[in-house]
Amino acid sequence: MNVLIPQRPALYCRLSYAPDGSLEKVERQEADGRAMGSRLDWPDFCCVYVDNSRSAWQRNRKRPDWDRMLLTLDADSGRLVPADPKANHHHDGIMTYHGDRLIRQPYDLELLLNIADTRRIPLASVSGVRDLSNPDDRFILRIEAAQACRESDNTSRRVKRALGARAERGLTQVGGARPFGFGVQVGTRVKTDPETGEEVEMPLYDTTRQVPEEARLVADAVEKQIAGLSQNGVVKWLNAQCTTTTGGPWTTKTWRDYVLRPRIAGLIEHNGELRQAAWDGLITEDAWRDVKALYDRSSSAYPYAGRERRYLLSTVAECGGCGSVMRGRPVGGQDKPHRRTRYTQYYCPTCKKVSRKTDHVDSYVQGRVLRVLHDPRFARELRAAEEAQAPGVSAQIADLERRKAEKTRQLEELADDPDLDMGLAMRALASFDRKITALRAQMDASAGQRRLQRYVGISVEEWMDLPVEVRSTVVRDLFQVVILPTSRRGPGFDPATVRMTRRRP
Ligand SMILES: [Zn+2]
Ligand SMILES: [Zn+2]
């Protein structure tokens, strides 16, 4: 084999753990790389690339330096990055400390081989020098990568199995920050920082036990949200009480992610299936489903639900001219000096033909809403709807999920049986899914009724004290509100120009 000596080689290092668990220092990798380079008569390394990745074989892990190095190997100068001193010139050889561990993912290797297709690029390591354009070397590299990939697949299968076993026992979460509402400290553990190699003592929590003050806050916050307070409102309230477990403020994102996790309802999800966890929930499963339904609903039907509400009927009222949702806005005042009074109105942003002053519409609509809430027939209606609902829906769902899991396990055991009718088996599983979906829909529909239940018989004063977004939600639960076009001008308000249709539970 003729020896290929690069003019501008680069060194690629990767921080990783040595078999004894200690961190391999970059300096040592560099020194070893230089020693190897001088044995091969290579010139000094032009650039040194270092990535932190501990799991180099995972395809979706970010390795910025690896990507930068690939750019510099490409014959195409157009891909260089002029502003980046480590990516604005070419290299023609790679030294790697890890040898066969450089490329653990066949996909990465193919990328590198593609780039090296037209150029002779030596790839050197302690195990020797490979020429990336030599077919024999390419063949060997591919086999090595495939082997490394399989090894790590085996590792991740082991990890998955271990996680599965934890789930069987109703446990979840290994490592990570303490979940809010849970975690009684039971000791400490020593953790090594992967970046610096520094050892830090970390508290060790039993996350199956609740932190009472936090548990109460979560229950309160969820209750407020189900009652109709917006996500923003909940987050604002929560931030006045506490921080997250990492000491940061709550954001709509952290709250949303947190509240949608089955953990807070004492459930865990395993293979897309909910089961009872080893801990008690901070809120009931029904409350959790209610708040989940709220998010499902607001993302599809009410795109502006996240924003703080100022107008009772903004995005609730529909335009009678074109059917789109109407918005609220201020009119007159400073921006229109010729209008002496400043007021607010609902307007249709789509056809722009329909608008109405907010105060008249708001008081008319709220009057109708209060009339319903005070009507004994309405209370009866809600009760009837509640009774019509099959009892123990969540228990039924849990039961179906358990049976489905059992069936799936049986099928997995029988998978190699030539007599097994796969089509039949799949249909059996699908029928479980159908039943579960139907029951879930039933639970979600009852969320709206439970919300209304708490406002039955409310006094006018209590009603007006509710945040505008709560009132807005109740209006939406009870009525479809359509503001009709009118040619009428001047003061006053004609109720006939607002059409309100009761929604049935
Ligand atoms: Zn360089
Ligand atoms: Zn319109």
Side-chain angles (χ1 to χ4, degrees):
M1 184 176 109
N2 67 338
V3 185
L4 197 62
I5 301 208
Q7 301 306 302
R8 291 183 99 168
L11 174 68
Y12 182 76
C13 301
R14 184 178 287 142
L15 284 181
S16 59
Y17 289 92
D20 65 352
S22 70
L23 202 69
E24 287 167 352
K25 292 276 185 290
V26 185
E27 293 77 26
R28 208 183 95 210
Q29 295 191 26
E30 266 193 70
D32 286 3
R34 279 185 221 290
M36 186 66 195
S38 68
R39 271 206 295 287
L40 293 169
D41 285 332
W42 281 26
D44 272 352
F45 296 114
C46 170
C47 293
V48 176
Y49 294 94
V50 187
D51 277 325
N52 281 325
S53 155
R54 275 170 294 168
S55 302
W57 51 87
Q58 284 176 13
R59 249 184 85 170
N60 43 12
R61 285 288 167 99
K62 280 240 180 317
R63 279 157 304 153
D65 260 19
W66 167 261
D67 293 336
R68 286 206 286 181
M69 185 179 72
L70 285 187
L71 292 184
T72 70
L73 296 170
D74 202 322
D76 180 2
S77 297
R79 302 192 53 209
L80 294 174
V81 184
D84 184 346
K86 277 164 92 179
N88 62 4
H89 56 277
H90 288 295
H91 297 116
D92 56 2
I94 313 168
M95 168 73 71
T96 161
Y97 173 74
H98 285 298
D100 63 326
R101 282 200 278 156
L102 172 67
I103 299 151
R104 308 201 67 148
Q105 181 55 252
Y107 173 81
D108 283 342
L109 177 63
E110 292 312 316
L111 263 184
L112 184 61
L113 292 182
N114 260 332
I115 283 166
D117 246 354
T118 49
R119 304 180 63 202
R120 292 193 65 193
I121 295 177
L123 169 65
S125 72
V126 279
S127 49
V129 184
R130 307 239 181 258
D131 178 355
L132 291 178
S133 59
N134 177 300
D136 291 340
D137 283 2
R138 289 164 82 102
F139 178 71
I140 291 169
L141 280 165
R142 281 186 170 121
I143 292 201
E144 282 175 353
Q147 254 168 6
C149 186
R150 215 188 71 193
E151 251 170 56
S152 66
D153 271 359
N154 286 339
T155 312
S156 64
R157 254 199 297 280
R158 270 200 303 279
V159 171
K160 268 189 202 133
R161 255 205 307 277
L163 284 175
R166 282 180 67 79
E168 292 291 336
R169 285 182 288 135
L171 295 168
T172 182
Q173 169 145 356
V174 213
R178 175 176 75 80
F180 191 84
F182 295 96
V184 173
Q185 192 175 344
V186 289
T188 56
R189 71 193 158 98
V190 174
K191 196 182 155 215
T192 312
D193 188 316
E195 309 273 324
T196 61
E198 219 176 289
E199 290 192 338
V200 265
E201 200 166 279
M202 306 276 289
L204 192 63
Y205 294 107
D206 176 355
T207 53
T208 65
R209 285 154 72 191
Q210 297 190 0
V211 180
E213 315 83 71
E214 292 179 1
R216 214 175 36 245
L217 287 174
V218 172
D220 277 5
V222 168
E223 164 74 23
K224 284 180 197 304
Q225 194 160 1
I226 295 172
L229 192 64
S230 72
Q231 190 180 219
N232 269 326
V234 171
V235 167
K236 207 185 259 176
W237 177 81
L238 211 51
N239 276 326
Q241 322 287 325
C242 62
T243 65
T244 66
T245 55
T246 51
W250 289 92
T251 63
T252 48
K253 175 156 190 340
T254 49
W255 173 249
R256 180 183 200 281
D257 291 349
Y258 173 75
V259 82
L260 292 181
R261 246 177 275 154
R263 158 174 271 281
I264 69 166
L267 300 167
I268 57 170
E269 192 168 3
H270 182 58
N271 294 336
E273 191 192 299
L274 289 173
R275 47 175 82 173
Q276 223 57 50
W279 57 85
D280 291 333
L282 308 176
I283 57 173
T284 64
E285 188 177 339
D286 277 354
W288 182 64
R289 292 216 185 270
D290 284 358
V291 78
K292 238 164 75 93
L294 218 56
Y295 276 103
D296 292 345
R297 218 169 69 135
S298 56
S299 58
S300 54
Y302 308 105
Y304 291 92
R307 225 186 265 167
E308 199 159 4
R309 175 173 288 281
R310 291 172 54 202
Y311 305 97
L312 180 76
L313 299 175
S314 191
T315 73
V316 173
E318 293 163 30
C319 166
C322 70
S324 21
V325 292
M326 300 191 61
R327 296 276 157 77
R329 69 175 172 196
V331 178
Q334 283 166 334
D335 38 319
K336 294 241 177 72
H338 59 279
R339 286 218 179 107
R340 261 172 295 134
T341 49
R342 187 178 162 87
Y343 64 98
T344 54
Q345 68 168 200
Y346 295 117
Y347 72 104
C348 173
T350 312
C351 71
K352 299 184 172 66
K353 285 186 185 131
V354 180
S355 64
R356 206 65 37 91
K357 277 190 174 181
T358 57
D359 49 1
H360 293 313
V361 183
D362 286 359
S363 47
Y364 172 66
V365 166
Q366 294 184 98
R368 293 276 307 264
V369 165
L370 282 167
R371 223 152 70 208
V372 170
L373 292 175
H374 285 152
D375 188 342
R377 275 174 308 179
F378 174 66
R380 275 201 300 275
E381 205 178 287
L382 274 187
R383 260 199 311 278
E386 201 178 350
E387 276 157 21
Q389 201 199 325
V393 177
S394 59
Q396 286 181 50
I397 292 176
D399 183 52
L400 281 170
E401 274 174 341
R402 196 181 41 73
R403 279 162 55 201
K404 182 187 155 200
E406 210 169 285
K407 194 97 201 156
T408 312
R409 258 195 304 280
Q410 282 171 7
L411 284 175
E412 274 165 6
E413 278 160 26
L414 292 173
D416 296 329
D417 188 336
D419 290 336
L420 176 70
D421 182 341
M422 238 341 158
L424 200 65
M426 297 316 283
R427 277 200 295 284
L429 283 185
S431 100
F432 277 113
D433 285 338
R434 257 197 318 279
K435 283 179 205 151
I436 292 171
T437 311
L439 285 173
R440 288 236 167 98
Q442 208 179 322
M443 281 193 81
D444 292 348
S446 62
Q449 292 160 24
R450 276 198 291 279
R451 196 162 40 230
L452 287 172
Q453 191 78 60
R454 64 192 86 205
Y455 303 115
V456 167
I458 191 172
S459 74
V460 179
E461 293 73 33
E462 284 170 330
W463 170 262
M464 289 316 290
D465 276 349
L466 292 173
V468 61
E469 43 205 31
V470 174
R471 283 180 279 139
S472 173
T473 309
V474 176
V475 172
R476 197 161 52 200
D477 281 340
L478 282 176
F479 286 104
Q480 182 198 26
V481 181
V482 180
I483 298 182
L484 302 167
T486 174
S487 51
R488 198 192 136 112
R489 295 260 160 223
F493 168 74
D494 179 4
T497 61
V498 176
R499 195 174 65 218
M500 293 178 71
T501 319
R502 264 299 305 281
R503 294 187 206 274
R504 290 295 146 192

